[in-house]
Amino acid sequence: MPIASIRGAAALFIALSFAAGAWADDDPLAGRELFEDTLDASGLQNLTGPCTSCHLTVENRRNKIGGSPWADISFDTAMTRFSQAVQNQPPMNQFAQLTQQQARDIAAYIADTPKTVPASDSQLDFIATSAPSITLAQNVELHHAVATAESLTVVSIDIVGTGAARFSRTMVCDNVVITPAQSCALALTFSPLDTAPVTASLRFTLRQGASPTTFERTVALSGTVASPTPAPPATDTGGGAWGLPWLLALAAACGLLARRRP
């Protein structure tokens, strides 16, 4: 393919493929097939090799992007890095021929590592009505990857940070083994002793497959006490600045009427 055509195709690939957020039909299983056997899975006969020609395994690619074979890589990050590689790395230019959905499936596969809901880069907020008290429970879910043959072991779960003692949890995820595409959930509550805001983190220590190496997922926790609702302003029911003169005038009128009686 001529260089100009390659650059034009890459530019079109970027424009079509890059969009914020994964779609409901983005498929990491299809992405795994495309990553490992791009020629047959894509139906494109003029490719020179699969994604593994450069990256060997998806774990190597994840390590390059996030510093770990199980890095918590978002779909947006995976899509951005894949699109940049297609545009800027000559061996990757050929993948500009992939359809928009095929590119997104590959990104979904690269991002297919254990995730928490809420996500690790978000915060779970608790608002108590008073102190001391206890809030309603909120759930945190741990989801295992879909396109993997390895199970996920929850080695430990901790609440850490300066406000850790103010948060409590159930123990339904401790020491469990989660199979691919499955999940477990736990419930958290916040119990303030006073009105000072506190923060902490829920930390999962995990191990995937037979690897002895552990990795973590954390969710930030925030606890506050709601400010009391101010009392509504008093309505004028006869007292106040207008009420007193009116009462004095009424009393004077009643006195005049009394003196005029025979």
Side-chain angles (χ1 to χ4, degrees):
M1 182 182 292
I3 296 298
S5 298
I6 291 174
R7 289 176 177 172
L12 180 61
F13 177 90
I14 301 299
L16 290 176
S17 298
F18 185 75
W23 296 346
D25 54 353
D26 293 335
D27 186 353
L29 289 169
R32 181 176 64 185
E33 294 183 7
L34 286 161
F35 190 91
E36 296 175 350
D37 188 6
T38 317
L39 191 151
D40 289 338
S42 67
L44 299 172
Q45 300 303 312
N46 58 341
L47 299 179
T48 60
C51 296
T52 52
S53 296
C54 294
H55 303 299
L56 301 180
T57 67
V58 72
E59 287 79 15
N60 288 342
R61 185 58 181 151
R62 291 169 183 157
N63 189 65
K64 183 73 172 180
I65 296 173
S68 166
W70 309 281
D72 190 5
I73 302 169
S74 70
F75 173 85
D76 287 348
T77 297
M79 190 71 249
T80 298
R81 295 292 292 267
F82 185 66
S83 299
Q84 288 173 342
V86 170
Q87 185 179 35
N88 300 321
Q89 298 179 22
M92 292 286 291
N93 290 161
Q94 60 177 326
F95 298 124
Q97 304 170 71
L98 296 175
T99 67
Q100 181 184 19
Q101 188 61 63
Q102 288 172 334
R104 294 179 66 90
D105 288 344
I106 290 175
Y109 178 48
I110 294 172
D112 184 41
T113 63
K115 307 286 186 190
T116 58
V117 179
S120 293
D121 59 355
S122 62
Q123 179 173 281
L124 189 59
D125 296 319
F126 293 82
I127 302 177
T129 56
S130 62
S133 67
I134 184 170
T135 65
L136 294 175
Q138 296 192 63
N139 287 345
V140 175
E141 297 178 0
L142 176 64
H143 292 255
H144 191 19
V146 174
T148 180
E150 299 176 327
S151 294
L152 180 70
T153 300
V154 181
V155 177
S156 63
I157 306 173
D158 305 288
I159 300 177
V160 297
T162 56
R166 303 274 58 83
F167 296 92
S168 300
R169 66 175 181 86
T170 59
M171 301 180 66
V172 296
C173 279
D174 294 67
N175 302 311
V176 302
V177 177
I178 309 173
T179 55
Q182 299 304 307
S183 63
C184 70
L186 55 82
L188 289 166
T189 56
F190 170 56
S191 304
L193 292 180
D194 52 43
T195 58
V198 299
T199 58
S201 293
L202 177 67
R203 181 178 64 194
F204 295 88
T205 301
L206 309 169
R207 184 176 65 247
Q208 185 165 317
S211 173
T213 303
T214 61
F215 57 97
E216 296 178 354
R217 294 290 185 266
T218 59
V219 177
L221 307 175
S222 169
T224 57
V225 177
S227 300
T229 303
T235 58
D236 184 9
T237 59
W242 286 101
L244 181 58
W246 185 85
L247 291 173
L248 291 175
L250 179 61
C254 290
L256 288 174
L257 291 172
R259 286 198 294 269
R260 289 180 180 179
R261 288 179 179 177

